[in-house]
Amino acid sequence: MELSITRPDDWHLHLRDGDLLEAVVHHSARNFGRAIVMPNLKPPITTTAAAVAYQASILKALPANSYFTPLMTLYLTDNTSPEEIKLAGKSGVVFAIKLYPAGATTNSQDGVTDIFGKCLPVLEQMAEQNMPLLVHGEVTDTTVDIFDREKVFIDTILRPLVQKLPQLKVVMEHITTLDAVEFVQSCQEGSVAATVTPQHLLLNRNSLFQGGLQPHNYCLPVLKREIHRQAIVAAVTSGSKKFFLGTDSAPHERRRKECSCGCAGIYNSPVALSLYAKVFEEAGALDKLEEFTSFNGPDFYGLPRNTSKIIMKKSKWRVPDSYAFASGEIIPIFAGQVLDWLPSNGD
């Protein structure tokens, strides 16, 4: 059995920099046409000039004859200016602005501390430029239970923001809850959308603890209850245009995951398309896979759909135990397991 689908894009990707970038970028470039590249480096990508330089380093690391296009983002801070947004809008390089609440995830310490008090002029300029705001949707208040932080963010920040600036395009990134599904579904099509990762479609929070602590299943937002996983699966396999592919693939060297204070992030680029196909097949919705992987994202961003194809072949293959690189090794999600779908270039 084979499926021919329009080449997908990854609308939420971490490529890192240095030798880690060189180790992982080819996994995304193999089957994806474009990717929205996250800006949470050290130091973060806060200016258009920095984004242009980062894009150049990604392009330099690509395999020969690759047509993969990195779409860059800026890291929103309390000090971002409307003028910087104007520069970004004219650049042809920057396609979105990323909101990290300060302290929410990896390298987010420079993020926003008060979006309504410090960022409204910037958000208004983004709306004028039709520049999407990409949201890591969790509060960072330590008194809020970690499993409730997405819901509280929606209630206290995101819903008021959308009401205040209805013309601002917003992507709620890597959603993990029924609450997020219902919020996105309640919003006007074309104004609010969501990316969904393979891990949040396939795993629930039991996967963090079965057989012992599983650091390679630890990401932020953290995996949630089974009821939430089921709600996300139902949403993405329904044919709704409001949900699209965003892997949130986030590589870390093995020792940074398997330690006393391990990093959040799941590396899934080599297996993501195989896992999405598994989800849609199990839901009896393979006919809707292409919309989710290849149509909904570019349609929301106002970009043309890719014209090339890839083939998804029903063919068993074993996920490598690890991927070696100059500074160590990276452990992928589902390491050592056998998957049923294998992507390959169709043209």
Side-chain angles (χ1 to χ4, degrees):
M1 181 180 178
E2 290 186 356
L3 296 175
S4 174
I5 65 171
T6 300
R7 186 175 300 278
D9 301 301
D10 187 347
W11 298 97
H12 188 119
L13 178 65
H14 297 271
L15 286 174
R16 312 304 192 201
D17 53 6
D19 58 3
L20 196 49
L21 165 64
E22 294 176 2
V24 302
V25 68
H26 69 283
H27 285 146
S28 294
R30 181 182 303 151
N31 294 309
F32 292 103
R34 299 164 288 197
I36 285 283
V37 180
M38 293 296 117
N40 57 329
L41 303 183
K42 286 185 176 181
I45 305 299
T46 58
T47 66
T48 303
V52 169
Y54 185 27
Q55 186 191 58
S57 69
I58 295 168
L59 294 172
K60 184 178 179 181
L62 285 172
N65 303 316
S66 173
Y67 294 100
F68 178 77
T69 303
L71 309 176
M72 310 311 292
T73 61
L74 298 189
Y75 184 117
L76 184 64
T77 74
D78 291 344
N79 300 314
T80 302
S81 69
E83 289 71 28
E84 190 62 56
I85 302 303
K86 291 179 184 178
L87 285 174
K90 296 174 182 176
S91 69
V93 170
V94 176
F95 287 82
I97 311 298
K98 181 66 185 289
L99 167 62
Y100 291 101
T105 189
T106 302
N107 297 342
S108 63
Q109 61 272 13
D110 298 307
V112 170
T113 62
D114 181 0
I115 189 165
F116 294 108
K118 298 184 177 180
C119 297
L120 272 182
V122 166
L123 297 175
E124 290 167 349
Q125 183 60 46
M126 287 172 58
E128 281 190 34
Q129 299 284 334
N130 202 31
M131 179 79 69
L133 177 69
L134 315 183
V135 175
H136 182 113
E138 292 186 290
V139 296
T140 56
D141 183 345
T142 56
T143 65
V144 177
D145 189 286
I146 194 168
F147 294 103
D148 297 330
R149 291 180 183 180
E150 186 168 278
K151 180 183 187 304
V152 173
F153 183 90
I154 292 168
D155 293 340
T156 62
I157 296 175
L158 193 51
R159 184 174 283 111
L161 177 61
V162 169
Q163 291 170 348
K164 191 173 186 67
L165 286 174
Q167 69 275 33
L168 178 67
K169 296 184 76 163
V170 176
V171 180
M172 191 171 186
E173 301 289 342
H174 41 53
I175 62 168
T176 68
T177 60
L178 170 61
D179 309 278
V181 167
E182 291 178 341
F183 171 74
V184 172
Q185 289 174 331
S186 74
C187 294
Q188 181 180 346
E189 187 173 298
S191 62
V192 177
T195 58
V196 185
T197 76
Q199 55 264 28
H200 292 109
L201 288 168
L202 284 165
L203 305 178
N204 62 36
R205 65 188 189 179
N206 290 344
S207 301
L208 288 166
F209 309 109
Q210 287 171 334
L213 192 62
Q214 301 296 327
H216 300 290
N217 288 340
Y218 171 53
C219 60
L220 289 172
V222 72
L223 301 172
K224 302 298 195 299
R225 290 179 180 271
E226 177 65 8
I227 188 174
H228 296 296
R229 187 194 71 81
Q230 291 176 2
I232 298 168
V233 170
V236 304
T237 59
S238 70
S240 170
K241 298 181 182 299
K242 296 180 178 181
F243 303 92
F244 44 86
L245 185 159
T247 64
D248 193 21
S249 186
H252 291 285
E253 200 282 321
R254 180 176 191 159
R255 289 166 294 185
R256 297 194 66 209
K257 295 285 291 179
E258 299 176 5
C259 59
S260 61
C261 186
C263 292
I266 290 175
Y267 186 55
N268 63 35
S269 287
V271 300
L273 290 177
S274 301
L275 297 179
Y276 286 123
K278 171 181 170 68
V279 170
F280 278 76
E281 181 182 34
E282 290 177 351
L286 279 174
D287 60 315
K288 297 181 176 67
L289 176 65
E290 186 177 33
E291 298 170 33
F292 173 77
T293 62
S294 312
F295 295 165
N296 297 346
D299 291 355
F300 181 84
Y301 274 83
L303 296 172
R305 298 173 179 179
N306 293 321
T307 55
S308 60
K309 300 281 187 178
I310 66 164
I311 301 296
M312 297 297 298
K313 183 180 295 186
K314 194 73 180 290
S315 177
K316 292 185 182 297
W317 66 286
R318 184 180 181 277
V319 181
D321 293 325
S322 65
Y323 295 96
F325 74 112
S327 301
E329 59 182 339
I330 309 160
I331 310 299
I333 190 174
F334 285 64
Q337 298 188 38
V338 175
L339 302 180
D340 290 335
W341 288 92
L342 182 65
S344 63
N345 283 311
D347 54 21

